Amino acid sequence: MDPDGRREMGLALLAGIAGVAGSFAITGGTTAFILAPIDTLVVNLAPGLVVAWLIDTVGAPAHVLHLGIAGLIAVGLLGAGARAGLRVASLERPVLGTVFAGGLAWATTWAITGQPVTSFGAAVPVTVSVGIGVVPSAGLDSGPARRRVLMAGIGAVGAVGLMSVIDRLRPSPDPIPADTTIPGGDDPELEQLLRDADEKSLDITGDDMPGLVSEIGDFYNVDIASFDPQLDAESWSMEISGEVKRSVTVDFEALTAMPIEHRHTTLRCVGEPLNGRQLDNAVWTGTPIETLLDRAGPSSACNCVMLHGDDGYFVQFPVEALEDGFLAWGMNGRPLPRSHGHPVRVLVPGHWGETNVKWLEEIEFLDEAVNGYWEERGWVGTGQVGTVAKLWSVQDRPDGRTEVAGHAYAGTRGISRVEVSVDDGQTWNDATLSDPLPGSDVWRQWRYRYESSETSEVVVRAVDGDGQRQPRVRSDSFPAGATGWVSRRV
Ligand SMILES: Nc1nc2c(c(=O)[nH]1)N[C@H]1C(S)=C(S)[C@@H](COP(=O)(O)O)O[C@H]1N2
Ligand SMILES: [Mo]
C-alpha cells in the first residue's frame, strides 16, 4: 500500500473507533449505544448450542466475547463510511468528503439504534477526525502523513471528550433515584418479612455466603441483551392479548391500585453449574396476577401463554403456571432495579428462572404452543425447578472444627432435609436447617460442623418437601438444568 493508502486506512480506522467511543460517551451503557443492537444481533445469530456451551464453560465473560465481536462490527461499519468520505476527499473535495463521512456515520448509527439525536455522538468524532485528516485549512499544512493522522487522533479524542461532557449536562435518564418509595413500601408486613429473614439466617462463620435474603447488588443477573431497557413507571403499560375474551391494558397506576402483597420468592437459572451462584432470594412487592387474568378471560386452546419483555425476550409456558404468578414492582422494599426488570416483572412460583420475565410488556394467550427464546436454542427451562443443595462456604472454626454451609432449594416442593457426608458418601448426617420462611417458593440455609481429619471428601444432598432426594446422577446444565450431588475436597 502506498503512503496515501495507508494514511487513508489509518484515518478510517481511527474515525471508526472514535465514532464508537463517541456513541458510548453520549449514551452510556444504554440501548441507544451503537453496540447494543449489534450485540443483540450477534447473540441471536449465534447457534443455540454455541450459546449454551459458552454459558456453561466461560459464563459471564461470554459477554466480553460477543461484545468484542459487536465492537469490531461497529468500528468496521463506521470506518467503512469514513473511508467512503476519504475517497471523496481524495478527489480534491476535502470538505464534501468530510461532511459525507460524518453524514454516513450519523445515518448508520441512526439506522442501527433508531435514535437520530444521540447518533450525533458517533457522527461528530468521525467528522472531526476525517476533517483534520483531509481539510488543508483545518489547522495543518499537508505535513507528513503520520503527523496528520496523529493530529486527527488528538482531534477525535477531544470530540469524544466533548460528547461525554454534553452527556453529563443532560438530565440523568435514571428513573430510579435511590430514595424513591414504592406503593406498599411502608407496609409493616414488609419490614417484618425482612427482619424475619434476618433473624432466621443461620450463624455462619464465613462471610462469603448470602443470608436468607440476597442483597440487591449481589442478586444474580441473566439477560439476553447486554444493555438493559430503560423504562419508567409513568409511561409503562402492559397488555393482555391474544386468545382472550377482552384484551386488557394496565398502566403502573392501575396495577399498583390492585391488592398489594409481599412475597419471598427464590430464583434459580437453568443455565447455572451444579454448585453455581445463580440462585438468590428476595422479598418482592407486587400483586397476584390472577385478578387480571380473570378480567381478560383467557380462552387459549393450548392452555399456553407467551410473555414478552421489552428487550425482545419471550417465553412460553402453561397458563396454569401463570395463575399463581405475581407481578412485582418492588424488591426488598426498593423499586425494582433496572437490571431486574424495572418497572414490572413476573414471578412464577416453582419454575426455572427463565419464566420470570423482566420489563414485562405483554401477556399473550396462544392457540398453539411455540418455543420461547431459550427453547428455540434447545433449553428445557420452563418447568418445575430441580432440587439442589449448594456447598458455598467452608470455614475453620475457632473451636478447631470445620464448618460447611450453603443454601438448598426445591421450588414449591420446599426443602425438608439436607444430608452431609464427610467421607465421600459412606455415611450421612443431617445438617442444621434454617427455620422455614413464609412463602411457597423459598430456599433454606443449611450448616454442618464436624471434627476434621486431614482432608475429607464432603458431599451434600437435599430432600424436598415430598420426600424425594436430589438425584445422584450427574448432568450438565444444558438442556434441562444441572443434576448430581455437590462434592468438594476439604
Ligand atoms: N425480559 C427478560 N426477562 C428475563 C430474562 C431476559 O433476558 N429478559 N432472563 C430470564 C432468565 S434466563 C432468568 S434466570 C431470570 C433472571 O432474573 P434476574 O436477572 O432478575 O436474576 O430472568 C428471566 N427473565
Ligand atoms: Mo435463566
Side-chain angles (χ1 to χ4, degrees), residues 117-447:
V117 177
T118 52
S119 293
F120 282 106
V124 171
V126 169
T127 312
V128 169
S129 47
V130 170
I132 294 179
V134 297
V135 180
S137 58
L140 286 149
D141 306 310
S142 47
R146 224 185 294 144
R147 186 146 166 259
R148 283 196 79 110
V149 175
L150 183 72
M151 292 312 291
I154 293 170
V157 170
V160 170
L162 180 70
M163 291 299 104
S164 85
V165 169
I166 293 174
D167 184 53
R168 292 297 120 75
L169 296 177
R170 290 187 307 156
S172 162
D174 194 330
I176 327 168
D179 55 354
T180 311
T181 54
I182 54 164
D186 53 4
D187 198 338
E189 192 199 327
L190 171 64
E191 208 40 57
Q192 181 56 44
L193 283 173
L194 288 166
R195 207 172 328 120
D196 193 29
D198 221 31
E199 283 159 9
K200 285 177 175 164
S201 291
L202 293 176
D203 171 26
I204 287 164
T205 313
D207 50 9
D208 55 346
M209 215 179 96
L212 283 170
V213 168
S214 309
E215 300 286 329
I216 288 186
D218 295 337
F219 200 107
Y220 86 90
N221 229 214
V222 175
D223 297 320
I224 59 163
S226 300
F227 303 93
D228 293 333
Q230 304 201 316
L231 310 180
D232 59 277
E234 291 76 53
S235 53
W236 174 87
S237 73
M238 175 206 76
E239 204 194 349
I240 304 183
S241 66
E243 305 296 311
V244 288
K245 295 204 183 67
R246 47 208 107 63
S247 52
V248 173
T249 303
V250 265
D251 60 16
F252 195 72
E253 213 187 324
L255 189 75
T256 51
M258 293 170 54
I260 296 178
E261 284 183 18
H262 313 279
R263 288 188 187 179
H264 278 286
T265 301
T266 304
L267 263 52
R268 180 187 178 200
C269 184
V270 70
E272 68 153 5
L274 185 62
N275 201 29
R277 295 244 180 188
Q278 287 171 345
L279 171 68
D280 277 297
N281 183 60
V283 177
W284 309 85
T285 297
T287 189
I289 210 167
E290 207 168 6
T291 347
L292 279 174
L293 298 188
D294 289 346
R295 234 184 265 173
S299 53
S300 156
C302 58
N303 262 312
C304 63
V305 62
M306 180 79 86
L307 269 50
H308 300 266
D310 181 80
D311 56 344
Y313 183 77
F314 52 100
V315 60
Q316 185 266 125
F317 55 85
V319 172
E320 201 193 0
L322 190 64
E323 282 164 358
D324 302 325
F326 195 64
L327 294 175
W329 60 79
M331 184 176 185
N332 295 350
R334 303 277 315 279
L336 196 60
R338 187 173 295 147
S339 59
H340 295 292
H342 191 83
V344 176
R345 82 175 302 165
V346 178
L347 296 168
V348 178
H351 285 242
W352 289 105
E354 67 166 74
T355 54
N356 302 282
V357 174
K358 307 189 273 188
W359 311 288
L360 180 67
E361 206 170 44
E362 188 183 353
I363 296 176
E364 182 196 9
F365 288 90
L366 306 177
D367 60 2
E368 205 182 318
V370 286
N371 279 332
Y373 181 92
W374 288 116
E375 277 42 47
E376 277 186 349
R377 287 157 180 78
W379 290 87
V380 185
T382 57
Q384 291 287 326
V385 64
T387 301
V388 71
K390 306 278 188 179
L391 203 180
W392 280 347
S393 174
V394 178
Q395 295 290 329
D396 290 327
R397 306 243 326 136
D399 62 9
R401 290 191 300 166
T402 298
E403 177 193 272
V404 287
H407 284 78
Y409 178 55
T412 49
R413 299 180 300 282
I415 290 290
S416 64
R417 201 159 77 226
V418 169
E419 299 164 322
V420 182
S421 168
V422 296
D423 54 11
D424 201 15
Q426 293 173 56
T427 55
W428 293 88
N429 312 280
D430 280 346
T432 303
L433 283 181
S434 59
D435 288 338
L437 287 168
S440 65
D441 182 23
V442 203
W443 65 7
R444 292 175 83 168
Q445 277 181 330
W446 66 268
R447 184 189 69 199

